[in-house]
Amino acid sequence: MRILLIGNGGREHAMAWKLAASPRCEALFIAPGNPGTAQVGQNIAIAATHIPGLVDFALEENIDLTVVGPEQPLVMGIVDAFEAAGLAIFGPSAAAAQLEGSKAFAKAFMVRHGIPTAEHRTFAAAAYDQALAFLQTAEMPIVLKASGLAAGKGVVICETRSEAEAALRDIVQEHRFGDAGDEVVIEGFMQGEEASLFAVCDGQSYTLLATAQDHKRVGDGDTGPNTGGMGAYAPAPLVTPELQARICRDIVEPTLAGMNAEGAPFKGFLYVG
């Protein structure tokens, strides 16, 4: 197979290394790639978000399979564009990618389908005053999230009301996370460890990869702002076989069923945090 991998991060280096090791991989191209991916395949100078250029490349090079790493091109509809051109691609459609691309969509979806999630309210940027008023009576600590993609950095944990008000101003009025802050999700704070579970899905069924944990807050003793993850380890000791079975029953399976029911089957990597 001639394979095209989209992206340029550490995630794509790991994926490129594994794809290249397959005896079925005749040629591997990475767009745009990085110095690590160049060790196992051929980097192509096309941005991950330049969807027409990627489609043209895949057609010209007779690509048999395209795998998408980053969220941004998925949200932009790269899967829809490739499938419209008759190309095989692994990842969710733009409609299904809203699960990752919009926290507001994801929270509303979980409520609709009875999937456990923290209590929350969502406010558009135009409803800044209502969001501010909500914070006046909300219980602290509280969590503010820019709804859109923010490279894992759009989450602010606020210990006090003044911190929450400042975070709201930063997200909505100062555009700290750009367009990702056009909507803000205000969420109840939950204390504890976080783990990640990854399901490889075909729209109906799924198989699991190893669980993982990353290091969230920048300072020792869980202090400072959240990061996009500073190193990770797998599997996560937190996720026992019993807990994994519960995650599958209560989150993964209802998510796949719900997306199907809403006409947007989820294909690709389903990330459950």
Side-chain angles (χ1 to χ4, degrees), residues 3 48 186 248:
I3 301 173
I186 302 178
C248 291

Side-chain angles (χ1 to χ4, degrees), residues 250-267:
D250 293 351
I251 302 175
V252 176
E253 290 164 15
T255 297
L256 292 180
M259 293 302 284
N260 267 313
E262 296 192 10
F266 192 94
K267 298 178 285 185

Side-chain angles (χ1 to χ4, degrees), residues 107-131:
K107 296 291 281 190
F109 173 85
M110 287 185 275
V111 170
R112 285 197 299 275
H113 295 280
I115 298 168
T117 188
E119 291 190 8
H120 75 286
R121 289 279 301 275
T122 298
F123 297 91
Y128 177 82
D129 290 341
Q130 290 97 308

